[in-house]
Amino acid sequence: YEAAFSWDSNLDATSYAVKVTDGTTTKTDTITTAAYTVSNVAMDSNWDITVRAINAKGKSLPSTTSVKIGKTAVAFLSYYATP
């Protein structure tokens, strides 16, 4: 299975720092789109995703949500302006 995460893009962001973990496996990445896919996830596994918007001023506060992998998983992330 794959878990696809997406969020509303931040107009000031030039990239996003992404961290996903199921407690055993942790993946980190810096990406330029407001979407991230994790491959080889197990059905009924729980995943946490943390995203931080990045721009010339630094990183935003982290936004984290948890999802349980099933037939359909829906989660929401919110962003606030970088101080």
Side-chain angles (χ1 to χ4, degrees):
Y1 295 98
E2 289 185 331
F5 300 94
S6 63
W7 53 92
D8 291 338
S9 61
N10 181 309
L11 295 177
D12 295 329
T14 55
S15 60
Y16 300 92
V18 178
K19 177 181 175 184
V20 293
T21 184
D22 67 354
T24 303
T25 302
T26 299
K27 300 177 183 192
T28 58
D29 211 346
T30 301
I31 59 175
T32 57
T33 61
Y36 190 77
T37 301
V38 182
S39 299
N40 301 316
V41 298
M43 182 67 81
D44 293 325
S45 61
N46 294 299
W47 285 83
D48 297 327
I49 179 170
T50 301
V51 179
R52 296 177 75 171
I54 302 170
N55 65 20
K57 294 181 181 180
K59 292 182 181 178
S60 68
L61 296 173
S63 183
T64 301
T65 194
S66 298
V67 297
K68 180 171 184 158
I69 304 303
K71 291 184 179 179
T72 303
V74 178
F76 299 94
L77 294 171
S78 298
Y79 280 103
Y80 299 95
T82 302

